[in-house]
């Protein structure tokens, strides 16, 4: 692996990221580990919820499960279930992050605009984003999604053709929307996450350390099942079922609490997925405006 790609990143950005990561690893994360080991975090609510509404994707990338395995048979999340989840977030006065995707391409779901409009109305304090490969994105669609309530788009360019199209889109779009698109040129990238050890060609040595993922992120698959981690491609750590439970019952389920307890002890062998995981144990959640992230400093 080469570090040449780092040279293309402005120095001030690299410095900011270095300071942020140092603070998270050496100060913030150590404090959170202390809180969790002493049970002070047992009542903490997730700060980030991923609601994956289908299993479709337009690509079969080598650094993704979909490129290595036969993609799962598509399941579209039931409309009623989606609205039920959003209504519960509304009741909680949720003000964290809501990602309407995970192991899929969110723009393949034609219901995304109506889902966004409803969610924005019901959970006005939340921060909505999607991550997309941009294959189905146009200037018109981007503007429409932002008008429907989306706060941010993470736009990945995986090849030169996509890069050219995405740069043109960004240059042509109204400046008030341009600032809401975070473009990532991945045409040069040769390193990737192993997704909890599932992608063997990118696998690094498994670690024995506490994990903060189970305190920060709730991941809901299209079936309504809740999993402890968005790297759980093979449905190893099922924590609940929102068809039968509400969000809080799933988040504070015995399965989830037991897993957190063991991970606090650095006992990743408790779960077959965690036992192979090379995630080092601190997480930088997606960027969020200062007005909405003060309570979560230092996450950008």
């Amino acid at each position: 692996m080469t570090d040449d790609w780092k040279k293309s990143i402005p120095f001030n950005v690299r410095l900011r990221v270095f300071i942020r990561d140092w603070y998270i690893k050496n100060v913030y994360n150590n404090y959170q580990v202390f809180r969790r080991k002493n049970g002070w975090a047992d009542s903490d609510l997730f700060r980030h919820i991923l609601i994956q509404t289908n299993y479709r994707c337009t690509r079969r990338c080598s650094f993704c499960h979909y490129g290595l395995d036969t993609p799962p048979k598509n399941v579209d999340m039931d409309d009623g279930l989606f609205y039920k989840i959003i209504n519960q977030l509304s009741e909680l006065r949720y003000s964290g992050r809501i990602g309407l995707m995970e192991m899929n391409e969110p723009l393949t779901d034609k219901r995304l605009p109506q889902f966004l409009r409803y969610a924005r109305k019901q959970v006005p304090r939340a921060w909505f984003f999607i991550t997309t490969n941009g294959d189905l994105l146009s200037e018109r669609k981007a503007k429409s999604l932002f008008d429907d309530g989306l706060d941010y788009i993470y736009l990945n360019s995986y090849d030169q053709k996509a890069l050219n199209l995405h740069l043109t889109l960004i240059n042509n779009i109204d400046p008030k929307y341009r600032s809401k698109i975070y473009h990532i040129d991945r045409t040069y990238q040769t390193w990737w996450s192993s997704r909890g050890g599932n992608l063997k060609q990118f696998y690094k040595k498994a670690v024995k350390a506490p994990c903060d993922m189970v305190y920060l992120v709730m991941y809901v698959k299209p079936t309504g099942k809740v999993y402890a981690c968005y790297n759980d491609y093979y449905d190893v750590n099922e924590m609940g079922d929102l068809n039968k439970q509400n969000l809080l019952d799933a988040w504070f389920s015995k399965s989830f609490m037991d897993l957190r307890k063991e991970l606090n002890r650095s006992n990743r062998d408790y779960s077959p997925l965690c036992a192979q995981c090379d995630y080092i144990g601190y997480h930088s959640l997606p960027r969020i405006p200062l007005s909405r992230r003060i309570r979560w400093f230092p996450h950008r």
Side-chain angles (χ1 to χ4, degrees):
M1 183 179 76
T2 176
D3 287 337
D4 289 346
W5 63 274
K6 293 182 180 179
K7 298 177 181 178
S8 65
I9 301 176
F11 174 76
N12 64 319
V13 174
R14 283 183 282 152
L15 179 62
R16 186 183 66 186
V17 171
F18 173 81
I19 294 173
R20 179 206 66 196
D21 286 356
W22 183 92
Y23 182 88
I24 292 173
K25 286 187 287 187
N26 296 285
V27 181
Y28 181 83
N29 196 53
N30 287 336
Y31 172 64
Q32 294 304 326
V33 169
F34 176 80
R35 289 182 68 247
R36 292 161 189 164
K37 286 185 176 180
N38 285 277
W40 300 354
D42 287 352
S43 61
D44 286 0
L45 186 65
F46 50 88
R47 299 179 178 180
H48 182 148
I49 183 169
L50 294 166
I51 307 172
Q52 182 177 335
T53 61
N54 68 25
Y55 280 116
R56 298 188 187 93
C57 190
T58 57
R59 295 191 173 222
R60 299 291 179 265
C61 300
S62 62
F63 49 82
C64 173
H65 296 299
Y66 281 22
L68 297 178
D69 303 312
T70 301
K73 182 179 180 180
N74 184 55
V75 173
D76 289 311
M77 177 175 282
D78 181 76
D79 289 28
L81 176 59
F82 179 84
Y83 295 133
K84 174 185 173 183
I85 295 170
I86 296 300
N87 289 340
Q88 290 179 23
L89 291 171
S90 177
E91 292 171 3
L92 293 170
R93 296 179 60 82
Y94 183 71
S95 60
R97 303 163 178 83
I98 300 179
L100 299 182
M101 82 298 142
E102 211 316 286
M103 192 59 62
N104 69 323
E105 168 50 53
L107 297 179
T108 61
D109 195 331
K110 296 181 179 180
R111 303 169 299 170
L112 182 60
Q114 72 187 56
F115 281 171
L116 265 173
R117 288 192 294 271
Y118 185 82
R120 171 53 69 196
K121 181 178 179 181
Q122 295 299 113
V123 199
R125 299 173 64 209
W127 191 77
F128 295 88
F129 75 97
I130 61 171
T131 298
T132 175
N133 59 36
D135 288 349
L136 303 177
L137 188 65
S138 64
E139 181 181 343
R140 180 178 179 181
K141 183 170 291 187
K143 291 166 62 177
S144 178
L145 288 172
F146 290 132
D147 290 341
D148 286 333
L150 195 65
D151 287 297
Y152 219 71
I153 291 177
Y154 285 84
L155 177 59
N156 291 297
S157 294
Y158 293 119
D159 57 50
Q160 192 61 46
K161 180 180 179 181
L163 176 62
N164 294 338
L165 290 173
H166 296 162
L167 290 177
T168 299
L169 182 154
I170 292 169
N171 288 332
N172 291 339
I173 201 167
D174 189 310
K176 74 175 182 178
Y177 298 112
R178 188 181 303 150
S179 62
K180 298 181 178 183
I181 300 176
Y182 184 60
H183 175 246
I184 308 169
D185 177 4
R186 299 195 185 276
T187 58
Y188 58 81
Q189 190 166 327
T190 57
W191 57 271
W192 301 93
S193 164
S194 74
R195 287 295 222 171
N198 283 320
L199 301 182
K200 302 305 180 184
Q201 73 272 40
F202 303 114
Y203 184 64
K204 297 173 282 295
K205 185 179 180 180
V207 299
K208 304 295 181 184
C211 180
D212 56 355
M213 201 77 74
V214 290
Y215 282 94
L216 298 176
V217 183
M218 174 176 256
Y219 174 28
V220 186
K221 292 198 178 185
T223 58
K225 299 288 184 69
V226 174
Y227 292 87
C229 175
Y230 50 71
N231 292 321
D232 197 347
Y233 185 69
Y234 299 109
D235 301 350
V236 176
N237 292 332
E238 181 181 329
M239 299 289 109
D241 185 347
L242 298 185
N243 295 289
K244 305 173 183 178
Q245 299 171 288
N246 61 38
L247 286 169
L248 292 184
D249 286 342
W251 183 247
F252 295 113
S253 66
K254 185 177 185 305
S255 298
F256 233 145
M257 296 300 283
D258 286 348
L259 179 61
R260 292 181 186 119
K261 182 178 180 180
E262 294 300 326
L263 291 177
N264 279 337
R265 298 171 176 170
S266 302
N267 180 21
R268 297 202 179 189
D269 291 334
Y270 181 75
S271 157
L273 176 63
C274 300
Q276 68 179 15
C277 183
D278 54 11
Y279 171 65
I280 61 176
Y282 76 98
H283 189 123
S284 174
L285 294 177
R287 63 178 57 193
I288 192 168
L290 179 62
S291 61
R292 296 186 183 179
R293 71 177 168 88
I294 292 175
R295 60 182 292 196
W296 291 316
F297 180 83
H299 298 309
R300 60 172 181 161

